[in-house]
Amino acid sequence: MFSTKRLWGGGVAQKVRPCAQTQGRVIKYHFSCQVWVMLERPCPGGKMAAGPNGLEEWVGSAYLFVESSLDKVVLSDAYTHPQQKVAVYRALRTALAESGGSPDVLQMLKIHRSDPQLIVQLRFSGRQACGRFLRTYREGALRAALQGCLAAELTLHSMPLQLELRAGAEQLDALLTDEERCLNCIFAQKPDRLRDEELTELEDALRNLTCGSGGQGGDVEGAPAPSQPLAPSPSEEKPPPPPPPSGQTFLFQGQPVVNRPLSLQDQQTFARSVGLKWRKVGRSLQRGCRALRDPALDSLAYEYEREGLYEQAFQLLRRFVQAEGRRATLQRLVEALEENELTSLAEDLLGLTNPHGGLA
């Protein structure tokens, strides 16, 4: 009848009636007082009380992955350029406003760079607004808006894009026909941060551009540089190191394998299979990457504890790629996996496992 689980706001394991709720409030059993207590935090299925602005107190988070289909345009690189950075931000901001509503209900919290993609962390306030966003995403309206806005801002004839929407470990693109399930997935992922200061600086830069173009009509083409240059993030202080030389190989179980920078697919394959050993792999990688010292691993474990092992492992490699750039190579990851007796995962990454379980 009861299940034991750790509750929000504290680390004490307490018994919770799994489906017990009254008007959206959860009932738990308090051991010290021997009584059932009503909690204010609602369950995903419960109705929310109205907030101060008349909006429902329904808050969730998701990640939008954006990648250009054009070989000549790498959005993660464009976002490092001072002028193009403002243009890319304005395109994202405009397209999201057209598709999801005002910043009161749909807000960008941070824009992450993960070559060649941009990953936009979104915060939703209100179930209806989130449902409206999901419909525009499913129907292709968001993609069309982003393609049009980015093409205009970067002065390109067209900008075909590949999009992916995730909430924790769930890839929502495969679930879009089940809007209720998508809403529950997004609701289960609470925002883990406030709005990033970098986005506040970009808003200020846009405001300065708007004031500086007063009376001239039309948008500012190409987004000139802001009056005060934006402070570079730690990953931008140095230019990215060159990629491995073309054709460079390393040996894996006696077979030569072409080395290359890690891709998003590599990160996803790793996150799906590494399980509890993600921290051991992180310690193996930290010898050549100061961004993965033990305090950083502890922070990842705590910050993404609710999301689970997949997200912790995915964020580990994401931080590795952000810190090392193109030096975050397949060879370094494979060597870390071999060191921790994860040879089968290394084979999956290298595509050496055939459907019958042997080496291809």
Side-chain angles (χ1 to χ4, degrees):
M1 182 177 180
F2 302 107
S3 63
T4 300
K5 62 194 295 187
R6 197 171 78 176
L7 295 175
W8 52 85
V12 181
Q14 307 199 28
K15 288 192 175 182
V16 180
R17 196 187 300 269
C19 297
Q21 55 179 332
T22 302
Q23 294 181 347
R25 295 176 179 175
V26 183
I27 304 173
K28 79 170 184 180
Y29 188 74
H30 199 287
F31 282 103
S32 60
C33 302
Q34 300 294 305
V35 295
W36 288 97
V37 181
M38 298 292 295
L39 298 181
E40 292 300 324
R41 175 167 172 168
C43 281
K47 293 182 179 179
M48 309 295 117
N53 297 322
L55 300 174
E56 293 178 330
E57 293 179 337
W58 188 102
V59 177
S61 180
Y63 288 88
L64 177 65
F65 293 72
V66 185
E67 180 178 352
S68 168
S69 299
L70 297 176
D71 292 337
K72 66 178 182 180
V73 179
V74 179
L75 290 178
S76 57
D77 290 345
Y79 195 67
T80 65
H81 192 281
Q83 291 181 333
Q84 292 184 339
K85 187 173 195 172
V86 180
V88 169
Y89 172 74
R90 178 160 55 183
L92 292 170
R93 176 176 173 267
T94 302
L96 289 172
E98 291 177 2
S99 303
S102 70
D104 291 334
V105 296
L106 174 56
Q107 184 182 40
M108 285 189 286
L109 295 182
K110 185 172 178 62
I111 300 175
H112 303 270
R113 292 173 50 235
S114 180
D115 189 22
Q117 298 174 318
L118 290 179
I119 307 174
V120 185
Q121 185 176 1
L122 301 173
R123 180 186 190 275
F124 298 92
S125 299
R127 182 185 178 88
Q128 290 183 351
C130 187
R132 183 167 59 250
F133 171 85
L134 287 172
R135 288 188 291 275
T136 61
Y137 183 85
R138 182 179 67 239
E139 295 164 1
L142 176 60
R143 183 195 303 271
L146 278 171
Q147 290 177 161
C149 291
L150 282 169
E153 292 290 347
L154 300 177
T155 62
L156 297 169
H157 178 67
S158 64
M159 171 66 82
L161 296 174
Q162 298 177 23
L163 302 183
E164 183 179 335
L165 188 63
R166 283 188 170 272
E170 292 287 351
Q171 184 177 355
L172 300 184
D173 297 74
L175 309 175
L176 289 174
T177 54
D178 189 349
E179 185 173 307
E180 186 68 24
R181 184 175 174 186
C182 290
L183 287 168
N184 288 337
C185 291
I186 292 174
F187 178 81
Q189 304 302 316
K190 299 305 177 191
D192 57 358
R193 65 182 310 123
L194 297 175
R195 183 175 170 86
D196 192 67
E197 292 182 0
E198 180 184 63
L199 301 190
T200 304
E201 293 175 353
L202 287 167
E203 280 290 340
D204 292 340
L206 281 181
R207 197 173 298 114
N208 292 338
L209 286 175
T210 303
C211 295
S213 62
Q216 296 179 10
D219 292 335
V220 180
E221 186 176 349
S227 56
Q228 295 182 345
L230 300 174
S233 64
S235 61
E236 297 169 18
E237 291 177 357
K238 299 178 181 180
S246 177
Q248 185 185 58
T249 61
F250 64 97
L251 290 179
F252 175 75
Q253 296 184 347
Q255 299 184 43
V257 177
V258 177
N259 195 20
R260 56 173 173 76
L262 291 175
S263 66
L264 175 63
Q265 184 177 352
D266 296 329
Q267 297 175 50
Q268 293 170 340
T269 301
F270 172 82
R272 279 195 299 269
S273 304
V274 70
L276 290 167
K277 288 192 174 182
W278 71 267
R279 292 187 69 146
K280 291 185 177 180
V281 176
R283 290 194 181 98
S284 297
L285 292 172
Q286 73 181 203
R287 287 195 291 270
C289 177
R290 293 193 300 175
L292 296 182
R293 299 300 187 195
D294 282 342
L297 298 181
D298 293 340
S299 175
L300 285 174
Y302 174 77
E303 189 173 354
Y304 297 98
E305 181 180 12
R306 287 184 54 184
E307 285 83 349
L309 293 174
Y310 176 94
E311 194 64 21
Q312 289 170 333
F314 182 85
Q315 295 296 330
L316 168 73
L317 284 194
R318 187 182 70 83
R319 185 165 295 188
F320 178 54
V321 170
Q322 284 185 333
E324 296 294 291
R326 295 182 181 274
R327 290 191 303 168
T329 59
L330 188 62
Q331 180 179 1
R332 293 176 68 179
L333 178 57
V334 167
E335 289 173 351
L337 292 173
E338 287 186 291
E339 184 177 318
N340 291 280
E341 300 179 350
L342 292 168
T343 306
S344 61
L345 176 51
E347 291 171 355
D348 289 343
L349 282 169
L350 299 175
L352 298 178
T353 304
N354 65 30
H356 304 289
L359 287 182

